[in-house]
Amino acid sequence: QVQVVESGGGLVQPGGSLRLSCAVSGTFFRLYAMGWYRQAPGKQRELVAGITTGGSTNYADSVKGRFTISRDNAQKMVYLQMNSLKPEDTAVYYCNRRATPLWNWGQGTQVTVSS
């Protein structure tokens, strides 16, 4: 019943920036801790950033200092500001809640970091 739509991905050079957006359709968005996940070809999906209902954040070591997750409860949006992008950040990025069971995965948005 909850749907998420990710957007904002694209092709960017190393060192560049992108801002990803996630629109959530559910009624109780403000009650859920949220996260951004990514999956590169041949690799497991991994959590890259999380944000609690109170706004506390956590990040995978690989993105600390470069990525910032935020949320707008009034607009039911989650954002991921990605700076100083590296080729190893190339993946499909997905938005979901942090609690289990997770919602159905959306289509994600492709981020490609390449010269």
Side-chain angles (χ1 to χ4, degrees):
Q1 98 186 32
V2 174
Q3 293 188 99
V4 298
V5 179
E6 301 95 342
S7 62
L11 174 63
V12 65
Q13 290 184 261
S17 297
L18 285 172
R19 190 192 192 215
L20 307 185
S21 298
C22 171
V24 183
S25 67
T27 303
F28 299 103
F29 171 78
R30 69 188 184 280
L31 303 180
Y32 297 111
M34 298 293 298
W36 281 97
Y37 305 75
R38 69 185 180 189
Q39 187 168 31
K43 294 186 178 181
Q44 197 93 1
R45 184 182 275 114
E46 64 174 340
L47 177 71
V48 298
I51 185 165
T52 70
T53 56
S56 297
T57 59
N58 63 281
Y59 302 92
D61 287 342
S62 59
V63 307
K64 277 184 179 177
R66 301 188 297 120
F67 290 10
T68 303
I69 187 172
S70 61
R71 67 191 296 161
D72 183 336
N73 287 339
Q75 296 295 317
K76 298 194 291 184
M77 297 286 291
V78 189
Y79 304 99
L80 186 67
Q81 180 65 48
M82 310 166 69
N83 299 326
S84 303
L85 283 161
K86 304 175 179 180
E88 51 262 47
D89 295 318
T90 296
V92 179
Y93 284 71
Y94 301 89
C95 181
N96 213 318
R97 68 175 180 172
R98 291 279 289 111
T100 55
L102 279 72
W103 297 322
N104 290 337
W105 297 103
Q107 289 295 113
T109 186
Q110 176 72 52
V111 172
T112 303
V113 184
S114 176
S115 299

Coordinates of all heavy atoms in Angstrom, one line a residue, residues 10-18 66 82-90 111-115:
G10 N 21.7 10.0 -12.2 CA 22.2 10.4 -13.5 C 23.6 10.1 -13.6 O 24.2 9.4 -12.8
L11 N 24.2 10.6 -14.7 CA 25.7 10.4 -14.9 C 26.4 11.6 -14.5 O 26.1 12.8 -14.8 CB 25.9 10.2 -16.4 CG 27.3 10.1 -16.9 CD1 28.0 8.9 -16.3 CD2 27.4 10.1 -18.4
V12 N 27.4 11.4 -13.7 CA 28.2 12.5 -13.1 C 29.7 12.1 -13.1 O 30.0 10.9 -13.0 CB 27.7 12.9 -11.7 CG1 27.9 11.7 -10.7 CG2 28.3 14.2 -11.2
Q13 N 30.6 13.1 -13.2 CA 32.0 12.9 -13.2 C 32.5 12.7 -11.7 O 31.8 13.1 -10.8 CB 32.8 14.0 -13.8 CG 32.6 14.2 -15.3 CD 33.5 15.3 -15.8 OE1 33.0 16.4 -16.1 NE2 34.7 15.0 -16.0
P14 N 33.6 11.9 -11.5 CA 34.1 11.8 -10.2 C 34.3 13.2 -9.6 O 34.8 14.1 -10.3 CB 35.4 11.1 -10.4 CG 35.2 10.3 -11.7 CD 34.3 11.1 -12.5
G15 N 34.0 13.3 -8.3 CA 34.1 14.6 -7.6 C 32.8 15.4 -7.7 O 32.7 16.4 -7.0
G16 N 31.9 15.0 -8.6 CA 30.6 15.7 -8.7 C 29.6 15.5 -7.7 O 29.9 14.7 -6.7
S17 N 28.4 16.1 -7.8 CA 27.4 16.0 -6.8 C 26.0 15.6 -7.5 O 25.8 16.0 -8.7 CB 27.2 17.3 -6.1 OG 28.4 17.6 -5.3
L18 N 25.2 15.0 -6.7 CA 23.8 14.7 -7.1 C 23.0 14.8 -5.9 O 23.4 14.5 -4.8 CB 23.7 13.3 -7.8 CG 24.1 13.1 -9.2 CD1 24.1 11.6 -9.5 CD2 23.3 13.9 -10.2
R66 N 30.6 12.6 3.0 CA 30.3 12.9 1.6 C 28.8 13.0 1.3 O 28.3 13.8 0.5 CB 30.9 11.9 0.6 CG 32.4 11.8 0.8 CD 33.0 10.9 -0.3 NE 32.6 9.5 -0.2 CZ 31.9 8.9 -1.2 NH1 31.6 9.5 -2.3 NH2 31.5 7.7 -1.0
M82 N 24.6 13.9 -2.3 CA 25.8 13.1 -2.6 C 26.8 14.0 -3.2 O 26.7 14.5 -4.3 CB 25.5 12.0 -3.6 CG 24.2 11.2 -3.2 SD 23.6 10.1 -4.5 CE 25.0 8.9 -4.6
N83 N 27.9 14.2 -2.4 CA 29.0 15.1 -2.9 C 30.3 14.2 -3.0 O 30.4 13.1 -2.5 CB 29.3 16.2 -1.8 CG 28.1 17.1 -1.7 OD1 27.3 17.4 -2.6 ND2 27.9 17.7 -0.5
S84 N 31.2 14.8 -3.7 CA 32.5 14.1 -3.9 C 32.4 12.7 -4.4 O 33.0 11.8 -3.8 CB 33.4 14.2 -2.6 OG 33.5 15.5 -2.1
L85 N 31.5 12.5 -5.3 CA 31.2 11.2 -5.8 C 32.4 10.4 -6.4 O 33.3 11.1 -7.0 CB 30.1 11.2 -6.8 CG 28.7 11.5 -6.2 CD1 27.7 12.0 -7.2 CD2 28.2 10.2 -5.6
K86 N 32.4 9.2 -6.2 CA 33.5 8.3 -6.6 C 32.9 7.2 -7.5 O 31.7 6.9 -7.4 CB 34.1 7.6 -5.4 CG 34.7 8.5 -4.4 CD 35.2 7.7 -3.2 CE 35.8 8.7 -2.1 NZ 36.3 7.9 -0.9
P87 N 33.7 6.6 -8.4 CA 33.2 5.6 -9.3 C 32.6 4.4 -8.5 O 31.6 3.8 -9.0 CB 34.5 5.1 -10.0 CG 35.3 6.3 -10.1 CD 35.1 7.0 -8.8
E88 N 33.1 4.1 -7.3 CA 32.5 3.0 -6.5 C 31.1 3.3 -6.0 O 30.5 2.5 -5.4 CB 33.5 2.6 -5.4 CG 34.0 3.8 -4.6 CD 35.4 4.2 -5.0 OE1 35.6 4.4 -6.2 OE2 36.2 4.4 -4.1
D89 N 30.7 4.6 -6.1 CA 29.3 4.9 -5.7 C 28.3 4.5 -6.8 O 27.1 4.7 -6.6 CB 29.2 6.4 -5.5 CG 30.0 6.9 -4.3 OD1 30.0 6.2 -3.2 OD2 30.6 8.0 -4.3
T90 N 28.8 4.1 -8.0 CA 27.9 3.7 -9.0 C 27.0 2.6 -8.6 O 27.5 1.5 -8.2 CB 28.7 3.3 -10.3 OG1 29.4 4.5 -10.8 CG2 27.8 2.8 -11.4
V111 N 22.6 5.8 -10.5 CA 23.7 6.8 -10.3 C 25.0 6.2 -10.9 O 25.4 5.1 -10.6 CB 24.0 7.1 -8.8 CG1 25.3 8.0 -8.7 CG2 22.8 7.8 -8.2
T112 N 25.5 6.9 -11.9 CA 26.7 6.4 -12.6 C 27.8 7.5 -12.4 O 27.6 8.7 -12.9 CB 26.5 6.1 -14.1 OG1 25.4 5.2 -14.2 CG2 27.7 5.6 -14.7
V113 N 28.9 7.1 -11.8 CA 30.0 8.1 -11.6 C 31.1 7.6 -12.5 O 31.8 6.6 -12.3 CB 30.5 8.1 -10.2 CG1 31.5 9.2 -10.0 CG2 29.3 8.4 -9.3
S114 N 31.4 8.4 -13.6 CA 32.4 8.0 -14.6 C 32.9 9.2 -15.3 O 32.2 10.2 -15.5 CB 31.8 7.0 -15.6 OG 32.7 6.7 -16.6
S115 N 34.2 9.1 -15.7 CA 34.8 10.2 -16.6 C 34.4 10.0 -18.0 O 34.7 10.9 -18.8 CB 36.3 10.1 -16.4 OG 36.7 10.4 -15.1

